[in-house]
Amino acid sequence: QVQLVESGGGLVQAGGSLRLSCAASGRSFSMYTMGWFRQAPGKEREFIAAISWTGARTYYADSVKGRFTISRDSAKNTMYLQMNSVKPEDTAVYYCAAGLANNIVVRNWGTYNYWGQGTQVTVSS
């Protein structure tokens, strides 16, 4: 079992930066592929980024590539999402997720096993 808690959300102006954190507790954090998803009102949950259990591979949605950076610190059981050059369309609830590497498709939210409660990010224009 893995428990995930996001933090770092808030209000930021367009063009600014924000860093989200996802703290994991439970066993074998380092064995899980981790991902970030977001969901805006009236829209489907959207893949943002993912990182392999070793940290060697990262994956990004085209909409955030070059602006967002995903990373993980296994010693701290924490994953991060550095968000730079944010845009109003980045406004959403951001969720972190974890799944066993052999079982998931990184861009498919339905294949992740564990989810955090979400953190709101609001970008003002």
Side-chain angles (χ1 to χ4, degrees), residues 64-83:
V64 305
K65 196 175 295 183
R67 300 188 298 122
F68 292 7
T69 302
I70 190 171
S71 61
R72 67 191 295 168
D73 185 337
S74 293
K76 296 182 178 180
N77 281 4
T78 302
M79 176 179 65
Y80 304 97
L81 183 70
Q82 179 66 43
M83 305 169 61

Side-chain angles (χ1 to χ4, degrees), residues 16-104:
S17 298
L18 208 60
R19 189 175 81 156
L20 305 183
S21 299
C22 173
S25 60
R27 61 176 184 171
S28 304
F29 167 76
S30 61
M31 294 176 60
Y32 287 83
T33 293
M34 305 290 294
W36 287 100
F37 291 78
R38 69 187 181 190
Q39 189 165 18
K43 295 188 177 181
E44 294 187 353
R45 191 164 297 191
E46 174 188 16
F47 168 78
I48 297 301
I51 187 166
S52 65
W53 69 276
T54 64
R57 295 183 180 179
T58 56
Y59 310 83
Y60 294 95
D62 288 343
S63 59
V64 305
K65 196 175 295 183
R67 300 188 298 122
F68 292 7
T69 302
I70 190 171
S71 61
R72 67 191 295 168
D73 185 337
S74 293
K76 296 182 178 180
N77 281 4
T78 302
M79 176 179 65
Y80 304 97
L81 183 70
Q82 179 66 43
M83 305 169 61
N84 296 331
S85 302
V86 296
K87 304 175 182 180
E89 51 263 44
D90 293 322
T91 295
V93 177
Y94 283 70
Y95 298 91
C96 67
L100 289 172
N102 291 339
N103 297 335
I104 70 166

